[in-house]
Amino acid sequence: MAGEQLRYDGQTVVVTGAGGGLGKAYAVFFASRGANVVVNDLGGSGKGEGASSNMADQVVKEITQAGGKAVANYDDVTNGEAVIKTAIDSFGRIDVLINNAGILRDVSFKNMKDQDWDLIMKVHVIGSFKCARAAWPHFRKQKYGRVINTSSAAGLFGSFGQCNYSAAKLALVGFTETLAKEGLKYNILCNAIAPIAASRMTATVMPPEVLELLKPEFVVPVVANLVHSSNEDETGGIFEIGGGHVAKMRWERAKGALLRADDSFTPGALLNKWDDVSDFSKPEHPTGVANFMELLEEAQKLPPNPEAEKIDFNGKVVLITGGGAGLGRLYCLNFAKYGAKVVVNDLADPEPVVKEIQEMGGEAFGVKASAEDGDAVIKAIIDKYGRIDVIVNNAGILRDKAFHNMDDNLFNTVLNVHLRGTYKISKAAWPYMLKQKYGRIVNTTSTSGIYGNFGQANYAAAKCGILGFSRALAREGQKYNIYVNTIAPNAGTNMTRSIMPEEMVQAFKPDYVAPIVVLLCSDKVPEPATGRLFESGSGWATETRWQRTGGVLFTSQAEMTAEGVRENWSKIVDFDDGRADHPSSADDAQKKIMANMNKSKKEGKSSGKQDKEILGNIEKAMKAQAEGTPFNYDERDVILYNLGIGAKRSDLPLVFEQDENFQVVPTFGVIPPFNAVAPFSISDVVPNFSPMMLLHGEQYLEIRSFPIPTESETVTYPKLVEVVDKGNAAIVVTGSTTKDKKTGKDVFYNESTVFIRGSGGFGGNAKGADRGAASHVFKAPQRKADCTVEEKTTEEQACVYRLSGDRNPLHVDPEFSKVGGFKVPILHGLCFFGIAGKHVYSQYGMFRNIKVRFAGTVLPGQTLVTEMWKEGNTVIFQMTVKDTGKLCISGSGAELVDGGKSRL
């Protein structure tokens, strides 16, 4: 088997969202290995707008011209029946479903609209459910099926500005784990992947050199193995993939704190044993709920818990959704006991609990409404109390049904009550919590969500989605003193009564979950706790987190084939070889990729491509036309850029939009092309490419529209200008034309020249063409500079500049910079290029073009000195780092528009 090629002859593979990026890579691969492929793509934008059959048709054409079999499907994934019908009608069967379709609607939580939430859920969660549900009867009948659902690092860890996306992507993990449990006896294996791959979606948030390593081809081989018939036991798995890095994830549960389950089990008693809650010295790696009967028996052997500090909620307003019974009622009573003003929310009658609290001397009032009507619930609270301090999102329902029998109503109802209800309540309260810079939110997942559970595909998706939502929300709230945590309670309630024996329901009293909820909503938990997941019940409370295998780092695409992955599979899934770690953010995944880039740099492995292939690729790439990437900017973006290159508050024309001379520093022209999608890949036009061997050598900018508009809708078209073979290295020049979308007129033209060590020797041109001002190298005159400007950068310079588009972690994250060979994060080259351009502009006025050659690095906080010489209509300049005496820009020049007239 070792050398045998993975084949899919006679099988039918359905790939959703297959019109480009990762989906297209799947489709082309499976067709090349003998499968019949259904290429599904609605053809909309990365934000879910519009539709077109063009993208799917192009992929089908590419496959059929290569001798493969494929048909197009243009249905929305929420019409899963039609997607799967295409497979059955065309090929008579379906064997593999890859739920890949996705969109982004990134926006901070305070600005998120219901449409942003609902559309993400519709495409990612409901679309995946609908396609899987439509395929399920066919899988069961033939006793064979393979399903891949697509999660992401944003789902696993939560991501700032992606509360909707994080929720949807982790919902798919709970959904997958449940399908894996239900499908196993029918030989239906289901896995989830968290890919990091370049696509229309990631192109806007990843730096180009990282995107180059994140080609979809680095993800496909793992999926190829998971869906192959030779995989007979890998199911319910979660795999992190990207940039040659492959690892498996699983849940890890701490030993936890165990207390006697009686009236002495209070929040204060749990606080005394808080260190035990997160004690991972003897962890377990569960696939389901803990043995609570055993825990309860152990807890009852313990002596009463010592008297402890009383938690105080005096003056705090606490909302409990689903507060009319079960866990919710116990939460209400507990918070009231500790002095809170309690709001009992329930779709059923909340008044009995309100009266119960009032009779014990507490303060409470009821709001009868669905949690989905979060605006009305929060308005009632604000009208009465003027504030909201604590939310426990507890409301829920069960609609259990085997997946084979689950219908849309069962799935959507549970998703709406649990996940959308949690979102709506939190969203309505968020502005008040931001304003008061205080908030505590505890959201309710379940062990069914974390681990999956037979007959609960709807509930597991909703509950795991709540965890993804909570983790993202925690990241947005922390700086405002808003902490968000998630609990998975084990207690006997009206919901669990239908699936537990009565004696167990009595043993698992909700009383024994309330202490951790109350404690997490207080200000007493050390560290503080936010974005974390806790399981609790029967006197026991513990933290659950991710564990990740050491995995495998493939250093090149040639090495990372489907067969190469298969040979390394045992290492990919090995949690016990001493290399496993515990990632807690999306950055942890990117660090693995950066490590791989560093590894590639050290090993210098050749891709093995022949000279003729490279030369042919260059010729093809020179002719390729870009589709065009939109970039819209307004006054805010202009001001942000100006601040990023050191504009001061006294520079009103640069920082105040109402100043009569408000203007764009002309070097802003480098921003629109930054994330523009090129019609070629650097790795195709040079051999042995590694992003870690790439240096940004030169930048040329030409301003083609005067005055530069302070707001505009533009489209940028990149192209390959030339590739130069320097023997031990290669030079690649990319040109980008930015046009005004409405008029079609050129606004900017850029040329970016990169020097790539170890990528020459392919028989190409040894000398670059003369491209006039773009390729001219300026020489500083021997005389003293005509003008010198000195400017100290700030420690935060890179943090501000990156907000204009260059989100490369190298410039902000010390761990990334170390991998890149720098002790601390360095300043963006285009940032100090902008500072130099600002100096020329301030002294000599508007320039027609500017060309710089980068000569060294700059650290935020260092002082820059720009020396300038005016020679006719050109300003020749260079920039030195005063702290080191070394040049960072040399041989540079700018051609003035009108002979030199200062505008600042």
Side-chain angles (χ1 to χ4, degrees):
M1 187 74 182
E4 193 178 324
Q5 189 185 59
L6 293 180
R7 300 286 303 177
Y8 307 86
D9 299 290
Q11 292 196 333
T12 299
V13 179
V14 175
V15 184
T16 68
L22 189 49
K24 177 184 176 182
Y26 289 141
V28 171
F29 170 83
F30 285 109
S32 74
R33 296 296 182 95
N36 310 312
V37 179
V38 176
V39 179
N40 160 263
D41 202 287
L42 185 61
S45 72
K47 289 186 176 181
E49 297 156 344
S52 166
S53 62
N54 189 40
M55 296 183 72
D57 289 340
Q58 286 180 351
V59 177
V60 169
K61 183 179 178 181
E62 183 177 328
I63 289 172
T64 53
Q65 285 182 343
K69 297 177 183 177
V71 296
N73 173 277
Y74 319 116
D75 286 288
D76 189 309
V77 285
T78 57
N79 189 6
E81 296 89 347
V83 176
I84 303 305
K85 186 176 185 295
T86 299
I88 303 303
D89 290 350
S90 303
F91 303 115
R93 62 184 292 121
I94 173 173
D95 300 275
V96 176
L97 169 63
I98 301 176
N99 279 317
N100 168 75
I103 59 169
L104 286 178
R105 300 277 287 207
D106 293 358
V107 61
S108 64
F109 191 59
K110 69 178 180 180
N111 295 323
M112 187 170 288
K113 295 179 171 59
D114 288 355
Q115 183 186 7
D116 298 318
W117 178 271
D118 293 337
L119 190 56
I120 289 289
M121 293 303 145
K122 175 185 162 188
V123 174
H124 291 271
V125 185
I126 297 172
S128 296
F129 158 70
K130 290 286 283 182
C131 290
R133 176 66 187 82
W136 206 254
H138 303 286
F139 289 156
R140 276 174 47 122
K141 185 176 180 181
Q142 66 204 19
K143 288 192 166 46
Y144 184 90
R146 300 289 184 268
V147 179
I148 295 292
N149 290 319
T150 308
S151 182
S152 77
L156 301 182
F157 309 111
S159 180
F160 193 99
Q162 293 189 308
C163 282
N164 48 359
Y165 188 69
S166 296
K169 285 306 190 183
L170 202 57
L172 288 173
V173 169
F175 179 63
T176 301
E177 290 173 325
T178 295
L179 293 196
K181 285 179 165 64
E182 293 201 32
L184 187 57
K185 72 176 181 178
Y186 298 103
N187 190 24
I188 307 171
L189 306 186
C190 309
N191 289 282
I193 61 165
I196 306 168
S199 67
R200 284 179 294 163
M201 293 200 296
T202 57
T204 59
V205 293
M206 293 276 192
E209 63 271 29
V210 175
L211 283 173
E212 184 59 39
L213 195 63
L214 300 184
K215 292 169 72 173
E217 287 76 9
F218 282 97
V219 175
V220 174
V222 180
V223 171
N225 277 269
L226 288 170
V227 303
H228 195 260
S229 58
S230 61
N231 172 27
E232 297 177 344
D233 53 16
E234 187 67 69
T235 189
I238 307 157
F239 294 86
E240 183 181 80
I241 321 166
H245 156 68
V246 189
K248 186 178 181 183
M249 311 282 287
R250 69 177 178 183
W251 292 109
E252 180 171 87
R253 190 156 62 198
K255 184 180 179 182
L258 189 64
L259 296 88
R260 184 174 177 85
D262 61 14
D263 291 345
S264 68
F265 180 28
T266 63
L270 181 58
L271 181 62
N272 288 341
K273 300 192 75 171
W274 187 254
D275 288 347
D276 292 349
V277 172
S278 301
D279 180 2
F280 284 96
S281 60
K282 293 180 181 178
E284 59 178 335
H285 301 97
T287 56
V289 67
N291 187 339
F292 276 98
M293 287 304 291
E294 186 178 300
L295 285 166
L296 189 63
E297 289 172 7
E298 289 298 313
Q300 299 312 85
K301 293 176 185 176
L302 297 171
N305 304 296
E307 199 150 323
E309 177 184 358
K310 186 176 178 181
I311 307 299
D312 184 6
F313 283 89
N314 284 326
K316 294 281 177 27
V317 177
V318 177
L319 165 65
I320 313 293
T321 70
L327 273 172
R329 170 181 167 272
L330 259 296
Y331 296 154
C332 291
L333 297 177
N334 272 269
F335 278 105
K337 183 167 68 174
Y338 295 112
K341 298 172 182 174
V342 176
V343 181
V344 184
N345 162 247
D346 208 293
L347 189 55
D349 188 5
E351 287 309 310
V353 178
V354 171
K355 288 177 182 175
E356 200 174 350
I357 290 171
Q358 290 171 342
E359 286 169 3
M360 59 185 253
E363 183 173 351
F365 90 103
V367 180
K368 185 177 180 179
S370 167
E372 288 184 77
D373 197 3
D375 296 319
V377 175
I378 298 301
K379 183 181 185 301
I381 297 169
I382 299 302
D383 287 349
K384 185 168 180 66
Y385 291 123
R387 61 182 296 120
I388 174 73
D389 300 285
V390 174
I391 297 171
V392 180
N393 278 309
N394 166 75
I397 59 170
L398 284 179
R399 295 290 187 271
D400 295 354
K401 187 75 72 172
F403 191 60
H404 182 63
N405 296 318
M406 187 165 288
D407 60 27
D408 293 1
N409 184 55
L410 291 171
F411 192 86
N412 295 338
T413 300
V414 168
L415 198 70
N416 286 339
V417 172
H418 290 273
L419 185 50
R420 196 174 193 275
T422 297
Y423 152 72
K424 286 293 288 180
I425 291 285
S426 304
K427 180 73 179 71
W430 200 248
Y432 302 102
M433 290 184 167
L434 287 177
K435 187 176 180 181
Q436 65 203 23
K437 286 190 168 51
Y438 183 90
R440 298 291 182 266
I441 300 176
V442 169
N443 292 327
T444 309
T445 183
S446 79
T447 50
S448 295
I450 304 168
Y451 308 114
N453 195 27
F454 193 98
Q456 293 190 306
N458 49 2
Y459 186 67
K463 285 304 195 184
C464 215
I466 286 171
L467 176 59
F469 168 67
S470 302
R471 287 181 163 173
L473 194 59
R475 294 188 185 281
E476 294 203 29
Q478 187 164 11
K479 70 177 181 179
Y480 298 103
N481 189 26
I482 305 171
Y483 300 148
V484 186
N485 289 287
T486 314
I487 59 151
N490 188 76
T493 66
N494 286 335
M495 288 208 314
T496 57
R497 183 167 270 113
S498 61
I499 54 174
M500 283 187 184
E502 183 61 26
E503 61 272 20
M504 289 179 71
V505 173
Q506 292 302 320
F508 301 147
K509 291 172 67 176
D511 306 60
Y512 307 143
V513 175
I516 192 168
V517 173
V518 173
L519 187 57
L520 286 171
C521 294
S522 74
D523 302 323
K524 297 294 184 178
V525 176
E527 292 170 22
T530 191
R532 291 159 71 179
L533 167 62
F534 302 93
E535 296 182 51
S536 185
S538 305
W540 175 71
T542 191
E543 184 168 8
T544 304
R545 65 182 182 182
W546 289 118
Q547 186 186 41
R548 176 176 63 185
T549 64
V552 174
L553 287 170
F554 295 90
T555 56
S556 72
Q557 193 179 324
E559 183 183 305
M560 193 179 178
T561 61
E563 292 71 33
V565 168
R566 177 177 56 193
E567 290 172 15
N568 285 276
W569 195 259
S570 60
K571 190 176 180 183
I572 289 171
V573 299
D574 190 347
F575 286 95
D576 301 317
D577 61 5
R579 299 183 304 124
D581 62 357
H582 304 92
S584 59
S585 73
D587 285 350
D588 291 331
Q590 291 192 25
K591 285 169 188 172
K592 286 276 189 178
I593 293 166
M594 291 294 285
N596 198 15
M597 291 165 73
N598 206 25
K599 184 179 177 186
S600 299
K601 174 182 172 183
K602 290 176 181 176
E603 295 183 1
K605 291 195 174 182
S606 172
S607 66
K609 290 183 178 177
Q610 295 181 347
D611 294 352
K612 287 182 180 178
E613 185 177 353
I614 292 294
L615 294 172
N617 288 347
I618 292 172
E619 185 179 354
K620 183 179 176 183
M622 296 274 282
K623 297 175 182 175
Q625 300 290 316
E627 292 183 6
T629 303
F631 179 83
N632 303 332
Y633 68 91
D634 57 19
E635 296 165 337
R636 180 182 179 277
D637 300 296
V638 170
I639 294 169
L640 190 60
Y641 174 79
N642 292 345
L643 290 170
I645 58 168
K648 303 294 188 291
R649 64 180 181 180
S650 55
D651 299 325
L652 287 184
L654 302 184
V655 298
F656 183 42
E657 72 282 359
Q658 294 184 35
D659 188 273
E660 62 180 354
N661 294 315
F662 179 62
Q663 59 194 276
V664 182
V665 175
T667 51
F668 176 79
V670 302
I671 299 300
F674 186 76
N675 287 311
V677 180
F680 68 93
S681 173
I682 292 181
S683 61
D684 290 336
V685 297
V686 299
N688 191 31
F689 173 69
S690 166
M692 293 302 288
M693 305 293 273
L694 181 150
L695 296 171
H696 189 173
E698 298 180 348
Q699 185 73 28
Y700 171 74
L701 168 65
E702 194 175 300
I703 292 91
R704 294 181 172 177
S705 179
F706 298 97
I708 301 170
T710 55
E711 57 182 0
S712 181
E713 294 183 4
T714 69
V715 182
T716 297
Y717 301 87
K719 65 175 182 178
L720 180 62
V721 174
E722 68 175 5
V723 181
V724 182
D725 185 354
K726 289 296 185 181
N728 291 327
I731 294 172
V732 178
V733 181
T734 303
S736 298
T737 303
T738 299
K739 294 176 176 288
D740 183 281
K741 184 179 178 181
K742 294 176 182 175
T743 65
K745 293 181 179 179
D746 291 2
V747 183
F748 306 113
Y749 174 72
N750 279 269
E751 280 190 11
S752 179
T753 302
V754 295
F755 184 84
I756 310 166
R757 291 164 290 167
S759 288
F762 53 88
N765 293 331
K767 187 175 180 182
D770 182 354
R771 302 187 310 283
S775 57
H776 188 73
V777 177
F778 298 88
K779 188 174 181 182
Q782 294 299 305
R783 70 178 188 273
K784 183 182 177 183
D786 299 335
C787 179
T788 301
V789 175
E790 184 174 308
E791 181 171 342
K792 181 176 171 56
T793 61
T794 69
E795 298 281 350
E796 293 73 34
Q797 199 88 51
C799 297
V800 178
Y801 182 81
R802 71 190 297 269
L803 298 178
S804 288
D806 188 345
R807 299 294 182 92
N808 191 336
L810 179 71
H811 304 294
V812 70
D813 186 341
E815 295 300 319
F816 268 84
S817 61
K818 286 174 187 173
V819 172
F822 303 100
K823 291 182 180 179
V824 296
I826 60 174
L827 194 60
H828 308 70
L830 288 178
C831 178
F832 57 86
F833 158 76
I835 293 171
K838 183 184 63 173
H839 292 165
V840 173
Y841 182 40
S842 66
Q843 298 301 314
Y844 295 102
M846 177 59 76
F847 44 80
R848 189 178 310 280
N849 57 58
I850 183 169
K851 160 77 183 299
V852 301
R853 174 172 279 186
F854 296 109
T857 56
V858 176
L859 304 182
Q862 290 181 327
T863 299
L864 302 176
V865 179
T866 304
E867 299 171 280
M868 292 165 270
W869 297 263
K870 190 169 185 293
E871 298 275 297
N873 201 41
T874 300
V875 176
I876 299 169
F877 65 94
Q878 65 185 24
M879 179 179 270
T880 306
V881 179
K882 185 177 182 180
D883 312 62
T884 63
K886 295 180 179 179
L887 285 170
C888 59
I889 289 177
S890 66
S892 302
E895 181 187 348
L896 301 173
V897 171
D898 53 8
K901 193 172 182 181
S902 180
R903 304 261 178 107
L904 275 179

